[in-house]
Amino acid sequence: MGENLLNWFRSYLRNRPQSVVVGGAESTPYIARSGVPQGSHLGPLLFLLFVNDVKNHIKHCKSSLFADDLKIYKVINTVCDAALVQSDLNGIQHWCFLNGMILNINKCFHIKYTRKKKPLVTVYKLDGAPLKEVQEIRDLGVIIDKKLTFTSQVNKVVTTSARMLGFLKRNADCFGCTTKTILYNALVRSHVEFGSIIWNPLYAIHSQRVESIQRSFTRHLAFISRGFSHRQPYHQRLKKFNMLSLNNRRALAGVTFLYKLLNNHLQNSDLLQEIKFVVPYSFPRFKINNIFQIPSAKTNLGVQAPLVRILRDFNKLNTAYPELDIFGSGLIGFRESIVGCLSRT
């Protein structure tokens, strides 16, 4: 940066009088000693310039940084591995000291993702204070438990969606089926599907509980529709109202994610490295439909891992409908093809 630009930033941040207005009453103006003006255009840029170099102090763990939400993670097999995590925590604490930041220890946690009955006992500290170990944690709106069953996430999704669906039924009596479907998609289904690529139900009981939300809504639509009984089977109601089941919609979201990943709509080299193609030893006489290798797994958790599940879903669709082309189609055309395939299943 040139000196003029630095001076411009300096003048923007220094000696800025601010005041607080509540209910028409305004506080005495004061000079803020830190931070940037709320709602400013430069605020996000300045924050990124400020925080992004924290990763330079993380030497041993992998890390993810989203705004002010920082996560570090590492496979822990020995006490030495735990010591490396503590070393990185010390590095983060040192970065905070250099930049005049104070961490709120009460909002910092650590969690062990394991199914071992007796996992390694570890204690991590920040600024001398031990970090609280939790059994589940909320990460960008998704509740992740230590055994990765996502039971709490399913409970939250079902409870929130059922409450919103009840609100919709009570307050949308004057609307027709088309308008109610639009409101359902915006207010209810958006809750059900948020982050579903990650927390897709592992167990049939969880899948049924989530599906019950849409079962209830289609029954409601059938009840107010003329010439169509609300006692019709669920698949008939879906066909009547031109809807996919929530299970099929999760498959659609996963396969669409795979398309974006392979066609450079998303940039994630770590995930791309995990995708393996089936390469025949000789020239095949027929088209290969299972184009992705599915890694073997010893546990249900491994079988239902997000990327493994998505690859398996696409192989199944491609076997049933060989005309699918994940590389030669545009995104819209590919999605329409997948919707057509799922509608026939």
Side-chain angles (χ1 to χ4, degrees), residues 21-296:
V21 179
V22 177
E26 183 176 354
S27 69
T28 303
Y30 65 96
I31 302 297
R33 298 195 303 173
S34 62
V36 295
Q38 293 290 321
S40 63
H41 293 288
L42 287 177
L45 173 62
L46 292 173
F47 178 79
L48 291 177
L49 292 174
F50 174 78
V51 78
N52 274 2
D53 68 326
V54 67
K55 285 193 171 185
N56 296 336
H57 295 258
I58 301 172
K59 306 295 185 181
H60 311 289
C61 300
K62 292 184 178 181
S63 61
S64 297
L65 180 63
F66 183 80
D68 61 345
D69 191 328
L70 173 64
K71 296 175 287 291
I72 64 172
Y73 42 94
K74 183 177 176 61
V75 177
I76 304 297
N77 293 317
T78 65
V79 176
C80 294
D81 293 331
L84 294 177
V85 174
Q86 182 60 58
S87 175
D88 281 347
L89 290 174
N90 295 339
I92 293 171
Q93 183 64 45
H94 182 63
W95 178 88
C96 293
F97 173 77
L98 294 176
N99 289 274
M101 286 190 63
I102 300 176
L103 290 174
N104 187 345
I105 304 299
N106 294 326
K107 293 185 177 181
C108 299
F109 310 98
H110 79 97
I111 183 172
K112 295 186 180 78
Y113 298 113
T114 179
R115 287 177 175 256
K116 293 181 179 179
K117 293 182 179 179
K118 294 182 179 180
L120 184 68
V121 178
T122 56
V123 177
Y124 302 110
K125 296 182 178 181
L126 268 177
D127 197 22
L131 292 181
K132 181 181 178 180
E133 182 176 352
V134 296
Q135 304 301 309
E136 60 184 32
I137 197 166
R138 186 184 181 96
D139 187 5
L140 300 180
V142 177
I143 301 175
I144 307 176
D145 60 277
K146 70 174 186 178
K147 293 188 177 181
L148 299 178
T149 62
F150 294 103
T151 301
S152 296
Q153 174 66 17
V154 171
N155 291 337
K156 186 200 76 168
V157 165
V158 172
T159 301
T160 303
S161 302
R163 187 183 300 117
M164 188 59 68
L165 180 59
F167 172 82
L168 175 61
K169 289 179 179 179
R170 292 190 302 271
N171 295 278
D173 289 338
C174 58
F175 299 124
C177 289
T178 302
T179 304
K180 284 189 176 184
T181 301
I182 294 174
L183 291 172
Y184 164 79
N185 293 341
L187 301 176
V188 181
R189 198 175 70 186
S190 59
H191 284 288
V192 177
E193 296 184 338
F194 176 77
S196 61
I197 291 178
I198 300 298
W199 63 264
N200 189 81
L202 295 177
Y203 306 111
I205 184 63
H206 290 168
S207 181
Q208 292 167 7
R209 289 188 63 205
V210 174
E211 199 71 44
S212 68
I213 300 298
Q214 188 158 279
R215 287 178 181 272
S216 177
F217 177 69
T218 55
R219 192 179 298 112
H220 173 73
L221 288 184
F223 188 81
I224 64 174
S225 300
R226 294 182 179 180
F228 190 79
S229 173
H230 65 282
R231 294 187 177 90
Q232 290 285 351
Y234 180 49
H235 69 275
Q236 292 290 346
R237 301 200 300 270
L238 292 176
K239 185 176 180 180
K240 166 69 176 178
F241 301 113
N242 193 27
M243 300 171 70
L244 290 175
S245 68
L246 294 178
N247 185 54
N248 280 344
R249 283 192 58 84
R250 291 193 296 272
L252 171 64
V255 174
T256 302
F257 175 82
L258 179 63
Y259 175 94
K260 293 179 178 179
L261 189 62
L262 292 175
N263 290 275
N264 205 31
H265 292 254
L266 298 172
Q267 296 183 1
N268 192 315
S269 58
D270 291 336
L271 283 180
L272 282 174
Q273 291 176 1
E274 299 298 323
I275 298 176
K276 304 294 189 297
F277 293 93
V278 174
V279 181
Y281 292 103
S282 59
F283 188 80
R285 298 179 59 186
F286 305 100
K287 179 183 177 182
I288 298 176
N289 295 322
N290 292 326
I291 63 175
F292 298 109
Q293 288 185 8
I294 307 301
S296 59

